[in-house]
Amino acid sequence: MSRDDLPLVLGIETSCDETGAGLVRGCTLLGEDVASSVEQHARFGGVVPEVASRAHLEAMVPTVRRALDKAGAAPSDVDAVAVTAGPGLAGALLVGVSAAKAYAMALDVPLYGVNHLVGHVAVDQLEHGPLPKPAVALLVSGGHTSLLLVEDLATRVRSLGDTVDDAAGEAYDKVARLVGLPYPGGPPIDRAAREGDPEAIRFPRGKWGDGTYDFSFSGLKTAVARWVEDAGRTGEDLPVPDIAAGFQESVVDVLTRKAVDACVDNGVEHLVISGGVAANSRLRALAAERCAAAGVELRVPRPKLCTDNGAMIGALGAEVAAAGLPPSRLDLATDTSLPVELPLAP
């Protein structure tokens, strides 16, 4: 089948605070657009679900229109619509799924409700081509920290491990607030850490050697809070760069160690890292170093594709369509905790 014979898939993403739309054909991204409501949440120090849902309602049609314009496509060119059915915020998911149903009905094309987490893996294909089978995926974001064994994006994805408390991105946000850095906390901590000494303050490594692929960052967050409290009693200025560097080193040390271990233990030669925290410079550098030492090939999408976007949902929709799986029904329901083992929602 030639590239032009592949279906043009419109992907819609609204699981949290980004309204994303992307046009994908096979492994090629033709156009995409994202509208973020992060500034509306910043004064609250985190995402407010009701605010996010309202922002999705306002942004949906303009975002889809801009994505179509960037792709040089008309609505009538769309062959299928894919949408995040879960996991995510209930109200936010409902906006996206309702819009996707409307587009699918109006255009008389198939609808595919897909898994947000698997979409984060599928988006790598838009940058590096078809994903080798099998592969291990490390997903790191504000809401999720997971290790997956990916045998087939459309049909066979298995969870190896997950966070038992805070996600890594959530810990970044909370630590940033502790030391007076803005929300979201990932980028400012990454920048501050470049000026600090990662060995100046050694924070604990959660679930470091417990023999599982699970993660824990709640204890690390508490350790930083206690260190800040103790330092505050002296009246001295906080060494923010050193705190940021020590905290970040603890997070990426555990993430990369467990991810590489998962590859080696399962005889897998390819590791994909995605999700918003995958844009972190230290995570990318340490992962590259450890993968090279273990003989594992590392694949990390460019930062713009790591955060939530419609391109990743279009990419997974294209995989599902190519696999010949049946489309979702028009009474497709959302699922805030959709299991990763279901790339296509039931």
Side-chain angles (χ1 to χ4, degrees):
M1 180 180 293
S2 71
R3 176 185 174 278
D4 291 339
D5 291 331
L6 296 172
L8 179 63
V9 180
L10 167 63
I12 294 176
E13 155 61 23
T14 63
S15 66
C16 191
D17 58 346
E18 276 91 24
T19 307
L23 279 299
V24 173
R25 194 187 299 277
C27 291
T28 302
L29 174 61
L30 301 180
E32 60 99 20
D33 194 79
V34 176
S36 176
S37 59
V38 65
E39 292 184 1
Q40 298 178 47
H41 304 286
R43 65 191 181 99
F44 301 105
V47 176
V48 180
E50 293 81 2
V51 172
S53 299
R54 173 60 61 180
H56 289 311
L57 280 170
E58 296 172 351
M60 178 58 64
V61 172
T63 302
V64 171
R65 184 179 297 120
R66 287 192 295 269
L68 285 165
D69 289 345
K70 291 176 181 178
S76 58
D77 296 325
V78 173
D79 298 306
V81 177
V83 63
T84 298
L89 302 175
L93 290 170
L94 186 60
V95 174
V97 168
S98 297
K101 290 176 180 179
Y103 279 113
M105 288 184 66
L107 299 173
D108 192 24
V109 297
L111 170 71
Y112 296 98
V114 300
N115 191 296
H116 173 84
L117 298 183
V118 184
H120 271 304
V121 186
V123 77
D124 181 73
Q125 297 197 139
L126 303 181
E127 181 129 11
H128 300 118
L131 188 69
K133 302 176 183 180
V136 166
L138 172 64
L139 304 184
V140 202
S141 70
H144 305 280
T145 304
S146 307
L147 271 171
L148 312 176
L149 180 62
V150 183
E151 296 179 280
D152 185 279
L153 281 166
T155 59
R156 294 192 302 279
V157 180
R158 178 164 61 89
S159 175
L160 297 175
D162 210 332
T163 181
V164 299
D165 41 57
D166 291 353
E170 181 182 0
Y172 267 87
D173 291 340
K174 292 177 178 177
V175 168
R177 187 161 61 242
L178 287 171
V179 298
L181 293 175
Y183 172 87
I189 285 183
D190 193 14
R191 288 192 293 269
R194 295 170 196 164
E195 306 299 323
D197 178 2
E199 300 299 325
I201 309 169
R202 183 174 175 83
F203 290 115
R205 271 68 167 155
K207 298 185 74 64
W208 172 265
D210 66 347
T212 75
Y213 301 126
D214 290 331
F215 303 95
S216 172
F217 298 106
S218 180
L220 169 61
K221 171 200 65 183
T222 301
V224 175
R226 296 291 176 264
W227 198 98
V228 170
E229 289 174 5
D230 291 344
R233 295 191 184 100
T234 68
E236 299 178 3
D237 292 339
L238 284 176
V240 173
D242 287 345
I243 295 172
F247 161 77
Q248 179 160 277
E249 197 66 19
S250 175
V251 173
V252 302
D253 191 7
V254 174
L255 289 174
T256 57
R257 183 178 295 272
K258 292 211 171 195
V260 172
D261 284 350
C263 291
V264 173
D265 295 347
N266 288 278
V268 174
E269 298 178 351
H270 295 83
L271 171 66
V272 178
I273 303 181
S274 194
V277 182
N280 180 273
S281 63
R282 180 57 182 154
L283 175 59
R284 286 174 173 247
L286 189 56
E289 177 185 321
R290 287 183 167 169
C291 282
V296 173
E297 182 178 330
L298 177 64
R299 294 166 55 125
V300 188
R302 60 185 181 271
K304 187 176 181 180
L305 292 180
C306 289
T307 54
D308 292 349
N309 58 77
M312 70 187 213
I313 302 306
L316 181 53
E319 279 292 310
V320 168
L325 298 181
S328 302
R329 292 161 49 99
L330 285 177
D331 62 356
L332 169 71
T334 61
D335 186 342
T336 59
S337 56
L338 184 66
V340 74
E341 287 80 5
L342 296 174
L344 180 63

